[in-house]
Amino acid sequence: MIIVLKPNATDEDIQKIVDKLKEFNYGAHISRGETRTVIGAIGEKIMEEKILIMEQIEVLPFVEKVIPILTPYKLTLRELKSEGTKVYINDIEIGGNTVVIMAGPCAVEGKEQLRETAKFVKEKGAKILRGGVFKPRTSPYSFQGLGIDGLKILYEVKEEFQIPVITEIVDPRDLEKALDYIDIVQIGARNMQNFTLLKEVGKIRKPVLLKRGLSATLEEFLFAAEYILLGGNSEVILCERGIRTFSDFSRNTLDLAIVPTLKEKTHLPVFVDPSHGTGSYKLVPSMSKAAVACGADGLIVEVHPNPEKALSDGPQSLNFPAFENLMKDLINISKAIGKNI
Ligand code: PEP
Ligand code: MN
């Protein structure tokens, strides 16, 4: 790390830093400039210690700032696995040359609704069925999901149509039970920094789709993934789902620039959710195509047999014809960038 001192720092202050660094077995390289002194801390430490030292130095009144040389996260770093992580669900490879589409209703509303959707989206090329059963709704008066009964429906439909399923878990107490029914655990945007939940999914041996928090920075997003990897679960898929900005024409602002950024900085597969990312079925097809074109490994899209009657997120759900058209376009776009679908 590099420690930049304030212009009025005295020799005594410099000595205090050198002593502090010595306390942690760090060497110091002092560089006196015309107006400021900069100290390079020399030594190797584990991450927890580095953060502690930085914090203890940063609070000193004569310190302007402390700059870490290496990024504070490590398990997500691209350098660790330059070929990229591939996540497997049976024979479906995520993070490879195939764009994987997850599709289905925002919420499981009943068996027929899910059967109908599963049959259709699978026929049109979706590889994974989505369906929420524990719904994190903004209003407590909105439909909260079918809970355990919904899990059972997911499982029955998954078996009938031979399609893996993904659902969001919001409460760590539901996690173990849910694992008997589902193939991928979704961590929702509102829970991206629910560290208890992250630690719990770090212990499981099933893939996790981690959504970016509503106002999460890139670093916060990566730290959240780091929690899961640190727990021993390396099957993490990152998912951009739109963030809160001043822009007011859409539900969220889909930050597609994070896709190539994440691909460059991390080895994890990156997905995009154009449904929550925009909040409007009209914007979903174009943003889906843009997401694939900019390098997303897959999409998670809301599809409903009858969006106008949906119990949740109808306005952003594609109906069947719209999903069919989108899949046709996605096939062409994937081909154009040397991928398949
Ligand atoms: C969802 O996928 O249904 C959902 C609630 O997503 P998010 O956490 O991104 O809002
Ligand atoms: Mn939804």
Side-chain angles (χ1 to χ4, degrees), residues 76-310:
T76 49
L77 282 181
R78 169 61 76 175
E79 288 78 5
L80 213 67
K81 223 173 166 185
S82 58
E83 73 284 7
T85 286
K86 300 207 173 40
V87 171
Y88 292 93
I89 299 109
N90 309 327
D91 59 343
I92 302 163
E93 184 186 76
I94 292 178
N97 214 37
T98 303
V99 176
V100 174
I101 306 298
M102 304 181 181
C106 176
V108 175
E109 298 167 8
K111 190 158 173 192
E112 263 325 295
Q113 172 235 25
L114 196 66
R115 285 188 74 246
E116 215 185 314
T117 314
K119 184 169 183 299
F120 189 83
V121 298
K122 185 176 174 179
E123 249 170 47
K124 302 303 167 205
K127 298 268 170 42
I128 289 158
L129 177 68
R130 68 149 287 154
V133 299
F134 303 107
K135 294 306 303 171
R137 303 306 297 279
T138 302
S139 161
Y141 307 111
S142 299
F143 176 58
Q144 300 288 306
L146 296 179
I148 302 291
D149 289 342
L151 282 179
K152 290 180 185 152
I153 295 175
L154 270 175
Y155 186 78
E156 286 164 12
V157 174
K158 150 191 155 88
E159 290 290 292
E160 181 180 348
F161 294 96
Q162 291 298 302
I163 182 166
V165 294
I166 175 169
T167 207
E168 177 175 353
I169 300 300
V170 294
D171 186 332
R173 290 170 295 186
D174 294 322
L175 183 62
E176 206 182 310
K177 183 155 185 58
L179 293 179
D180 293 337
Y181 300 92
I182 61 171
D183 302 280
I184 307 175
V185 174
Q186 178 176 323
I187 300 297
R190 290 155 195 81
N191 273 318
M192 191 206 82
Q193 284 187 314
N194 179 338
F195 301 117
T196 312
L197 189 57
L198 296 178
K199 282 179 188 166
E200 287 305 310
V201 295
K203 292 182 202 154
I204 66 171
R205 290 298 164 265
K206 279 207 172 156
V208 176
L209 180 123
L210 175 68
K211 291 218 180 168
R212 182 183 183 184
L214 277 72
S215 59
T217 62
L218 175 85
E219 186 165 293
E220 287 162 345
F221 194 14
L222 291 184
F223 272 134
E226 199 89 11
Y227 263 93
I228 304 173
L229 293 174
L230 193 59
N233 188 352
S234 55
E235 298 184 297
V236 176
I237 304 159
L238 302 171
C239 181
E240 160 62 26
R241 49 79 68 207
I243 47 171
R244 288 271 170 90
T245 68
F246 56 84
S247 182
D248 61 357
F249 69 91
S250 57
R251 179 177 176 183
N252 291 298
T253 298
L254 189 64
D255 183 13
L256 285 181
I258 205 171
V259 175
T261 308
L262 287 169
K263 294 295 292 180
E264 184 201 316
K265 289 196 182 300
T266 85
H267 53 81
L268 299 172
V270 179
F271 265 50
V272 169
D273 174 347
S275 310
H276 296 87
T278 62
S280 164
Y281 74 92
K282 291 182 194 162
L283 294 170
V284 169
S286 37
M287 289 302 99
S288 299
K289 290 181 262 183
V292 171
C294 77
D297 294 293
L299 304 174
I300 178 162
V301 192
E302 289 184 338
V303 178
H304 195 285
N306 201 348
E308 50 289 13
K309 291 208 172 132

